[in-house]
PDB file of all heavy atoms in Angstrom:
ATOM      1  N   CYS A  42      -5.440  18.019  -4.096  1.00  0.00           N
ATOM      2  CA  CYS A  42      -5.475  16.784  -4.897  1.00  0.00           C
ATOM      3  C   CYS A  42      -5.124  17.110  -6.345  1.00  0.00           C
ATOM      4  O   CYS A  42      -5.322  18.202  -6.832  1.00  0.00           O
ATOM      5  CB  CYS A  42      -6.875  16.163  -4.871  1.00  0.00           C
ATOM      6  SG  CYS A  42      -7.137  15.125  -3.430  1.00  0.00           S
ATOM      7  N   HIS A  43      -4.577  16.080  -7.027  1.00  0.00           N
ATOM      8  CA  HIS A  43      -4.232  16.284  -8.436  1.00  0.00           C
ATOM      9  C   HIS A  43      -4.495  14.985  -9.169  1.00  0.00           C
ATOM     10  O   HIS A  43      -4.045  13.938  -8.734  1.00  0.00           O
ATOM     11  CB  HIS A  43      -2.743  16.649  -8.534  1.00  0.00           C
ATOM     12  CG  HIS A  43      -2.264  16.709  -9.935  1.00  0.00           C
ATOM     13  ND1 HIS A  43      -2.487  17.821 -10.724  1.00  0.00           N
ATOM     14  CD2 HIS A  43      -1.654  15.794 -10.721  1.00  0.00           C
ATOM     15  CE1 HIS A  43      -1.991  17.587 -11.936  1.00  0.00           C
ATOM     16  NE2 HIS A  43      -1.466  16.373 -11.961  1.00  0.00           N
ATOM     17  N   TRP A  74      12.255   3.558 -11.436  1.00  0.00           N
ATOM     18  CA  TRP A  74      12.118   3.852 -10.008  1.00  0.00           C
ATOM     19  C   TRP A  74      12.268   5.349  -9.763  1.00  0.00           C
ATOM     20  O   TRP A  74      11.520   5.950  -8.997  1.00  0.00           O
ATOM     21  CB  TRP A  74      13.160   3.074  -9.198  1.00  0.00           C
ATOM     22  CG  TRP A  74      12.633   1.775  -8.661  1.00  0.00           C
ATOM     23  CD1 TRP A  74      12.755   0.538  -9.226  1.00  0.00           C
ATOM     24  CD2 TRP A  74      11.863   1.586  -7.463  1.00  0.00           C
ATOM     25  NE1 TRP A  74      12.113  -0.404  -8.466  1.00  0.00           N
ATOM     26  CE2 TRP A  74      11.562   0.204  -7.366  1.00  0.00           C
ATOM     27  CE3 TRP A  74      11.409   2.439  -6.468  1.00  0.00           C
ATOM     28  CZ2 TRP A  74      10.823  -0.346  -6.320  1.00  0.00           C
ATOM     29  CZ3 TRP A  74      10.676   1.899  -5.411  1.00  0.00           C
ATOM     30  CH2 TRP A  74      10.395   0.508  -5.344  1.00  0.00           C
ATOM     31  N   CYS A  77       9.041   7.083 -10.857  1.00  0.00           N
ATOM     32  CA  CYS A  77       7.913   6.870  -9.932  1.00  0.00           C
ATOM     33  C   CYS A  77       8.182   7.535  -8.592  1.00  0.00           C
ATOM     34  O   CYS A  77       7.276   8.109  -7.983  1.00  0.00           O
ATOM     35  CB  CYS A  77       7.657   5.373  -9.765  1.00  0.00           C
ATOM     36  SG  CYS A  77       7.039   4.596 -11.254  1.00  0.00           S
ATOM     37  N   ALA A  78       9.436   7.499  -8.156  1.00  0.00           N
ATOM     38  CA  ALA A  78       9.765   8.131  -6.858  1.00  0.00           C
ATOM     39  C   ALA A  78       9.512   9.630  -6.925  1.00  0.00           C
ATOM     40  O   ALA A  78       9.042  10.241  -5.959  1.00  0.00           O
ATOM     41  CB  ALA A  78      11.226   7.851  -6.506  1.00  0.00           C
ATOM     42  N   ARG A  80       7.181  11.020  -8.652  1.00  0.00           N
ATOM     43  CA  ARG A  80       5.733  11.208  -8.585  1.00  0.00           C
ATOM     44  C   ARG A  80       5.228  10.961  -7.171  1.00  0.00           C
ATOM     45  O   ARG A  80       4.325  11.649  -6.694  1.00  0.00           O
ATOM     46  CB  ARG A  80       5.037  10.289  -9.578  1.00  0.00           C
ATOM     47  CG  ARG A  80       5.404  10.633 -11.025  1.00  0.00           C
ATOM     48  CD  ARG A  80       4.755   9.693 -11.969  1.00  0.00           C
ATOM     49  NE  ARG A  80       3.324   9.624 -11.723  1.00  0.00           N
ATOM     50  CZ  ARG A  80       2.471  10.604 -11.970  1.00  0.00           C
ATOM     51  NH1 ARG A  80       2.930  11.739 -12.458  1.00  0.00           N
ATOM     52  NH2 ARG A  80       1.212  10.463 -11.711  1.00  0.00           N
ATOM     53  N   VAL A  81       5.835   9.996  -6.477  1.00  0.00           N
ATOM     54  CA  VAL A  81       5.451   9.779  -5.078  1.00  0.00           C
ATOM     55  C   VAL A  81       5.750  11.058  -4.283  1.00  0.00           C
ATOM     56  O   VAL A  81       4.938  11.528  -3.500  1.00  0.00           O
ATOM     57  CB  VAL A  81       6.226   8.592  -4.466  1.00  0.00           C
ATOM     58  CG1 VAL A  81       6.101   8.575  -2.954  1.00  0.00           C
ATOM     59  CG2 VAL A  81       5.715   7.274  -5.006  1.00  0.00           C
ATOM     60  N   ALA A  84       3.370  13.782  -4.889  1.00  0.00           N
ATOM     61  CA  ALA A  84       2.090  13.466  -4.225  1.00  0.00           C
ATOM     62  C   ALA A  84       2.205  13.707  -2.726  1.00  0.00           C
ATOM     63  O   ALA A  84       1.291  14.250  -2.093  1.00  0.00           O
ATOM     64  CB  ALA A  84       1.697  12.013  -4.517  1.00  0.00           C
ATOM     65  N   ARG A  87       1.984  17.286  -1.743  1.00  0.00           N
ATOM     66  CA  ARG A  87       0.599  17.777  -1.708  1.00  0.00           C
ATOM     67  C   ARG A  87      -0.102  17.307  -0.433  1.00  0.00           C
ATOM     68  O   ARG A  87      -0.948  18.020   0.122  1.00  0.00           O
ATOM     69  CB  ARG A  87      -0.145  17.313  -2.963  1.00  0.00           C
ATOM     70  CG  ARG A  87       0.287  18.073  -4.226  1.00  0.00           C
ATOM     71  CD  ARG A  87      -0.645  17.812  -5.372  1.00  0.00           C
ATOM     72  NE  ARG A  87      -0.418  16.486  -5.941  1.00  0.00           N
ATOM     73  CZ  ARG A  87       0.410  16.262  -6.969  1.00  0.00           C
ATOM     74  NH1 ARG A  87       1.065  17.240  -7.523  1.00  0.00           N
ATOM     75  NH2 ARG A  87       0.582  15.041  -7.443  1.00  0.00           N
ATOM     76  N   MET A 115       2.118   8.260   3.088  1.00  0.00           N
ATOM     77  CA  MET A 115       2.038   7.290   1.981  1.00  0.00           C
ATOM     78  C   MET A 115       0.664   6.621   1.957  1.00  0.00           C
ATOM     79  O   MET A 115       0.131   6.340   0.879  1.00  0.00           O
ATOM     80  CB  MET A 115       3.144   6.239   2.107  1.00  0.00           C
ATOM     81  CG  MET A 115       3.266   5.331   0.889  1.00  0.00           C
ATOM     82  SD  MET A 115       3.693   6.294  -0.599  1.00  0.00           S
ATOM     83  CE  MET A 115       3.615   5.010  -1.829  1.00  0.00           C
ATOM     84  N   VAL A 118      -1.497   8.951   0.114  1.00  0.00           N
ATOM     85  CA  VAL A 118      -1.199   8.893  -1.329  1.00  0.00           C
ATOM     86  C   VAL A 118      -1.882   7.680  -1.962  1.00  0.00           C
ATOM     87  O   VAL A 118      -2.524   7.778  -3.016  1.00  0.00           O
ATOM     88  CB  VAL A 118       0.331   8.840  -1.581  1.00  0.00           C
ATOM     89  CG1 VAL A 118       0.652   8.462  -3.029  1.00  0.00           C
ATOM     90  CG2 VAL A 118       0.972  10.165  -1.227  1.00  0.00           C
ATOM     91  N   LEU A 119      -1.786   6.545  -1.280  1.00  0.00           N
ATOM     92  CA  LEU A 119      -2.394   5.317  -1.815  1.00  0.00           C
ATOM     93  C   LEU A 119      -3.918   5.434  -1.874  1.00  0.00           C
ATOM     94  O   LEU A 119      -4.542   4.990  -2.835  1.00  0.00           O
ATOM     95  CB  LEU A 119      -1.969   4.107  -0.976  1.00  0.00           C
ATOM     96  CG  LEU A 119      -0.490   3.721  -1.116  1.00  0.00           C
ATOM     97  CD1 LEU A 119      -0.076   2.710  -0.041  1.00  0.00           C
ATOM     98  CD2 LEU A 119      -0.195   3.184  -2.521  1.00  0.00           C
ATOM     99  N   ARG A 121      -5.561   8.329  -2.148  1.00  0.00           N
ATOM    100  CA  ARG A 121      -5.856   9.342  -3.169  1.00  0.00           C
ATOM    101  C   ARG A 121      -5.769   8.743  -4.585  1.00  0.00           C
ATOM    102  O   ARG A 121      -6.427   9.226  -5.504  1.00  0.00           O
ATOM    103  CB  ARG A 121      -4.868  10.504  -3.064  1.00  0.00           C
ATOM    104  CG  ARG A 121      -5.188  11.461  -1.944  1.00  0.00           C
ATOM    105  CD  ARG A 121      -4.210  12.618  -1.883  1.00  0.00           C
ATOM    106  NE  ARG A 121      -4.754  13.736  -1.121  1.00  0.00           N
ATOM    107  CZ  ARG A 121      -4.310  14.997  -1.238  1.00  0.00           C
ATOM    108  NH1 ARG A 121      -3.331  15.283  -2.075  1.00  0.00           N
ATOM    109  NH2 ARG A 121      -4.837  15.967  -0.514  1.00  0.00           N
ATOM    110  N   MET A 122      -4.979   7.697  -4.705  1.00  0.00           N
ATOM    111  CA  MET A 122      -4.783   7.096  -6.036  1.00  0.00           C
ATOM    112  C   MET A 122      -6.110   6.641  -6.638  1.00  0.00           C
ATOM    113  O   MET A 122      -6.318   6.717  -7.852  1.00  0.00           O
ATOM    114  CB  MET A 122      -3.846   5.899  -5.897  1.00  0.00           C
ATOM    115  CG  MET A 122      -3.542   5.227  -7.196  1.00  0.00           C
ATOM    116  SD  MET A 122      -2.344   3.924  -6.927  1.00  0.00           S
ATOM    117  CE  MET A 122      -2.714   2.940  -8.348  1.00  0.00           C
ATOM    118  N   PHE A 135      -1.372   7.811 -15.084  1.00  0.00           N
ATOM    119  CA  PHE A 135       0.068   7.897 -14.815  1.00  0.00           C
ATOM    120  C   PHE A 135       0.695   8.693 -15.945  1.00  0.00           C
ATOM    121  O   PHE A 135       0.569   8.324 -17.107  1.00  0.00           O
ATOM    122  CB  PHE A 135       0.670   6.486 -14.741  1.00  0.00           C
ATOM    123  CG  PHE A 135       2.161   6.466 -14.557  1.00  0.00           C
ATOM    124  CD1 PHE A 135       2.733   6.687 -13.311  1.00  0.00           C
ATOM    125  CD2 PHE A 135       3.017   6.251 -15.639  1.00  0.00           C
ATOM    126  CE1 PHE A 135       4.112   6.684 -13.141  1.00  0.00           C
ATOM    127  CE2 PHE A 135       4.395   6.242 -15.469  1.00  0.00           C
ATOM    128  CZ  PHE A 135       4.936   6.456 -14.225  1.00  0.00           C
ATOM    129  N   PHE A 145       4.254  -1.096 -15.292  1.00  0.00           N
ATOM    130  CA  PHE A 145       5.267  -0.865 -14.243  1.00  0.00           C
ATOM    131  C   PHE A 145       6.210  -2.042 -14.076  1.00  0.00           C
ATOM    132  O   PHE A 145       6.910  -2.159 -13.082  1.00  0.00           O
ATOM    133  CB  PHE A 145       4.550  -0.540 -12.925  1.00  0.00           C
ATOM    134  CG  PHE A 145       3.646   0.668 -13.024  1.00  0.00           C
ATOM    135  CD1 PHE A 145       2.290   0.512 -13.274  1.00  0.00           C
ATOM    136  CD2 PHE A 145       4.164   1.953 -12.918  1.00  0.00           C
ATOM    137  CE1 PHE A 145       1.450   1.628 -13.392  1.00  0.00           C
ATOM    138  CE2 PHE A 145       3.335   3.070 -13.032  1.00  0.00           C
ATOM    139  CZ  PHE A 145       1.981   2.911 -13.280  1.00  0.00           C
ATOM    140  N   LEU A 148       9.801  -2.011 -12.755  1.00  0.00           N
ATOM    141  CA  LEU A 148      10.117  -1.691 -11.351  1.00  0.00           C
ATOM    142  C   LEU A 148      10.627  -2.940 -10.634  1.00  0.00           C
ATOM    143  O   LEU A 148      11.326  -2.866  -9.645  1.00  0.00           O
ATOM    144  CB  LEU A 148       8.874  -1.154 -10.628  1.00  0.00           C
ATOM    145  CG  LEU A 148       8.384   0.247 -11.000  1.00  0.00           C
ATOM    146  CD1 LEU A 148       7.040   0.524 -10.341  1.00  0.00           C
ATOM    147  CD2 LEU A 148       9.396   1.308 -10.585  1.00  0.00           C
ATOM    148  N   CYS A 150       8.726  -5.138  -9.028  1.00  0.00           N
ATOM    149  CA  CYS A 150       7.986  -5.501  -7.794  1.00  0.00           C
ATOM    150  C   CYS A 150       6.524  -5.762  -8.158  1.00  0.00           C
ATOM    151  O   CYS A 150       5.616  -5.022  -7.751  1.00  0.00           O
ATOM    152  CB  CYS A 150       8.115  -4.412  -6.740  1.00  0.00           C
ATOM    153  SG  CYS A 150       7.753  -2.750  -7.329  1.00  0.00           S
ATOM    154  N   LEU A 153       3.845  -5.978  -5.302  1.00  0.00           N
ATOM    155  CA  LEU A 153       3.482  -4.675  -4.722  1.00  0.00           C
ATOM    156  C   LEU A 153       2.566  -3.930  -5.677  1.00  0.00           C
ATOM    157  O   LEU A 153       1.539  -3.392  -5.286  1.00  0.00           O
ATOM    158  CB  LEU A 153       4.744  -3.860  -4.438  1.00  0.00           C
ATOM    159  CG  LEU A 153       4.498  -2.424  -3.985  1.00  0.00           C
ATOM    160  CD1 LEU A 153       3.616  -2.361  -2.740  1.00  0.00           C
ATOM    161  CD2 LEU A 153       5.817  -1.733  -3.705  1.00  0.00           C
ATOM    162  N   VAL A 154       2.922  -3.934  -6.960  1.00  0.00           N
ATOM    163  CA  VAL A 154       2.090  -3.242  -7.959  1.00  0.00           C
ATOM    164  C   VAL A 154       0.690  -3.855  -7.969  1.00  0.00           C
ATOM    165  O   VAL A 154      -0.317  -3.138  -7.967  1.00  0.00           O
ATOM    166  CB  VAL A 154       2.763  -3.312  -9.343  1.00  0.00           C
ATOM    167  CG1 VAL A 154       1.816  -2.866 -10.438  1.00  0.00           C
ATOM    168  CG2 VAL A 154       4.020  -2.442  -9.363  1.00  0.00           C
ATOM    169  N   ILE A 157      -1.204  -2.716  -4.975  1.00  0.00           N
ATOM    170  CA  ILE A 157      -1.598  -1.307  -5.110  1.00  0.00           C
ATOM    171  C   ILE A 157      -2.848  -1.208  -5.983  1.00  0.00           C
ATOM    172  O   ILE A 157      -3.803  -0.492  -5.675  1.00  0.00           O
ATOM    173  CB  ILE A 157      -0.437  -0.492  -5.714  1.00  0.00           C
ATOM    174  CG1 ILE A 157       0.676  -0.315  -4.679  1.00  0.00           C
ATOM    175  CG2 ILE A 157      -0.911   0.890  -6.199  1.00  0.00           C
ATOM    176  CD1 ILE A 157       1.957   0.204  -5.246  1.00  0.00           C
ATOM    177  N   PHE A 158      -2.872  -1.980  -7.057  1.00  0.00           N
ATOM    178  CA  PHE A 158      -4.045  -1.970  -7.954  1.00  0.00           C
ATOM    179  C   PHE A 158      -5.260  -2.584  -7.258  1.00  0.00           C
ATOM    180  O   PHE A 158      -6.376  -2.107  -7.418  1.00  0.00           O
ATOM    181  CB  PHE A 158      -3.717  -2.691  -9.264  1.00  0.00           C
ATOM    182  CG  PHE A 158      -3.134  -1.780 -10.311  1.00  0.00           C
ATOM    183  CD1 PHE A 158      -1.816  -1.348 -10.219  1.00  0.00           C
ATOM    184  CD2 PHE A 158      -3.910  -1.314 -11.357  1.00  0.00           C
ATOM    185  CE1 PHE A 158      -1.279  -0.475 -11.162  1.00  0.00           C
ATOM    186  CE2 PHE A 158      -3.373  -0.440 -12.319  1.00  0.00           C
ATOM    187  CZ  PHE A 158      -2.057  -0.029 -12.213  1.00  0.00           C
ATOM    188  N   HIS A 236       6.007  -1.659   0.560  1.00  0.00           N
ATOM    189  CA  HIS A 236       6.666  -0.608  -0.218  1.00  0.00           C
ATOM    190  C   HIS A 236       8.072  -0.386   0.313  1.00  0.00           C
ATOM    191  O   HIS A 236       9.052  -0.387  -0.452  1.00  0.00           O
ATOM    192  CB  HIS A 236       5.821   0.674  -0.129  1.00  0.00           C
ATOM    193  CG  HIS A 236       6.579   1.932  -0.333  1.00  0.00           C
ATOM    194  ND1 HIS A 236       6.331   3.082   0.389  1.00  0.00           N
ATOM    195  CD2 HIS A 236       7.566   2.235  -1.180  1.00  0.00           C
ATOM    196  CE1 HIS A 236       7.154   4.030  -0.001  1.00  0.00           C
ATOM    197  NE2 HIS A 236       7.918   3.547  -0.951  1.00  0.00           N
ATOM    198  N   TYR A 259      11.775  12.047  -0.395  1.00  0.00           N
ATOM    199  CA  TYR A 259      11.529  10.609  -0.536  1.00  0.00           C
ATOM    200  C   TYR A 259      12.547   9.868   0.328  1.00  0.00           C
ATOM    201  O   TYR A 259      12.207   8.962   1.085  1.00  0.00           O
ATOM    202  CB  TYR A 259      11.687  10.200  -2.004  1.00  0.00           C
ATOM    203  CG  TYR A 259      11.332   8.764  -2.298  1.00  0.00           C
ATOM    204  CD1 TYR A 259      10.073   8.410  -2.775  1.00  0.00           C
ATOM    205  CD2 TYR A 259      12.259   7.734  -2.087  1.00  0.00           C
ATOM    206  CE1 TYR A 259       9.748   7.084  -3.031  1.00  0.00           C
ATOM    207  CE2 TYR A 259      11.936   6.413  -2.336  1.00  0.00           C
ATOM    208  CZ  TYR A 259      10.683   6.102  -2.819  1.00  0.00           C
ATOM    209  OH  TYR A 259      10.360   4.791  -3.069  1.00  0.00           O
TER     210      TYR A 259
HETATM  211  N1  VK7 B 301       8.111   4.682  -6.849  1.00  0.00           N
HETATM  212  C1  VK7 B 301       6.973   4.540  -6.739  1.00  0.00           C
HETATM  213  C2  VK7 B 301       5.567   4.434  -6.611  1.00  0.00           C
HETATM  214  C3  VK7 B 301       4.781   5.432  -7.174  1.00  0.00           C
HETATM  215  C4  VK7 B 301       3.409   5.400  -7.037  1.00  0.00           C
HETATM  216  C5  VK7 B 301       2.796   4.375  -6.294  1.00  0.00           C
HETATM  217  C6  VK7 B 301       3.578   3.349  -5.765  1.00  0.00           C
HETATM  218  C7  VK7 B 301       4.936   3.369  -5.946  1.00  0.00           C
HETATM  219  C8  VK7 B 301       5.707   2.202  -5.376  1.00  0.00           C
HETATM  220  F1  VK7 B 301       4.881   1.412  -4.644  1.00  0.00           F
HETATM  221  C9  VK7 B 301       6.191   1.286  -6.499  1.00  0.00           C
HETATM  222  F2  VK7 B 301       7.001   1.950  -7.324  1.00  0.00           F
HETATM  223  F3  VK7 B 301       6.867   0.272  -5.987  1.00  0.00           F
HETATM  224  F4  VK7 B 301       5.136   0.856  -7.154  1.00  0.00           F
HETATM  225  C10 VK7 B 301       6.741   2.598  -4.382  1.00  0.00           C
HETATM  226  F5  VK7 B 301       7.769   3.189  -4.875  1.00  0.00           F
HETATM  227  F6  VK7 B 301       6.148   3.429  -3.546  1.00  0.00           F
HETATM  228  F7  VK7 B 301       7.153   1.497  -3.780  1.00  0.00           F
HETATM  229  C11 VK7 B 301       1.341   4.409  -6.005  1.00  0.00           C
HETATM  230  C12 VK7 B 301       0.856   5.827  -5.973  1.00  0.00           C
HETATM  231  C13 VK7 B 301       1.122   6.452  -7.340  1.00  0.00           C
HETATM  232  N2  VK7 B 301       0.768   7.859  -7.227  1.00  0.00           N
HETATM  233  C14 VK7 B 301      -0.486   8.324  -7.388  1.00  0.00           C
HETATM  234  O1  VK7 B 301      -1.342   7.603  -7.794  1.00  0.00           O
HETATM  235  C15 VK7 B 301      -0.748   9.756  -6.950  1.00  0.00           C
HETATM  236  C16 VK7 B 301      -1.855   9.738  -5.929  1.00  0.00           C
HETATM  237  C17 VK7 B 301      -2.079  11.137  -5.389  1.00  0.00           C
HETATM  238  C18 VK7 B 301      -2.446  12.093  -6.513  1.00  0.00           C
HETATM  239  C19 VK7 B 301      -2.614  13.462  -5.878  1.00  0.00           C
HETATM  240  O2  VK7 B 301      -1.572  14.095  -5.605  1.00  0.00           O
HETATM  241  O3  VK7 B 301      -3.777  13.854  -5.603  1.00  0.00           O
HETATM  242  C20 VK7 B 301      -1.350  12.079  -7.601  1.00  0.00           C
HETATM  243  C21 VK7 B 301      -1.109  10.652  -8.132  1.00  0.00           C
HETATM  244  C22 VK7 B 301       1.904   8.657  -6.875  1.00  0.00           C
HETATM  245  C23 VK7 B 301       3.081   7.882  -7.389  1.00  0.00           C
HETATM  246  C24 VK7 B 301       2.571   6.453  -7.722  1.00  0.00           C
HETATM  247  S1  VK7 B 301       2.703   6.189  -9.463  1.00  0.00           S
HETATM  248  O4  VK7 B 301       1.672   6.930 -10.104  1.00  0.00           O
HETATM  249  O5  VK7 B 301       4.073   6.395  -9.864  1.00  0.00           O
HETATM  250  C25 VK7 B 301       2.386   4.465  -9.581  1.00  0.00           C
HETATM  251  C26 VK7 B 301       3.444   3.560  -9.475  1.00  0.00           C
HETATM  252  C27 VK7 B 301       3.179   2.222  -9.530  1.00  0.00           C
HETATM  253  C28 VK7 B 301       1.847   1.787  -9.696  1.00  0.00           C
HETATM  254  F8  VK7 B 301       1.590   0.479  -9.772  1.00  0.00           F
HETATM  255  C29 VK7 B 301       0.801   2.701  -9.792  1.00  0.00           C
HETATM  256  C30 VK7 B 301       1.074   4.057  -9.730  1.00  0.00           C
END
Side-chain angles (χ1 to χ4, degrees):
C42 275
H43 173 81
W74 265 95
C77 292
R80 296 178 53 69
V81 166
R87 287 192 284 267
M115 189 62 185
V118 167
L119 291 168
R121 282 181 161 201
M122 182 176 157
F135 176 79
F145 302 96
L148 289 172
C150 50
L153 173 57
V154 168
I157 287 168
F158 271 75
H236 155 219
Y259 185 96

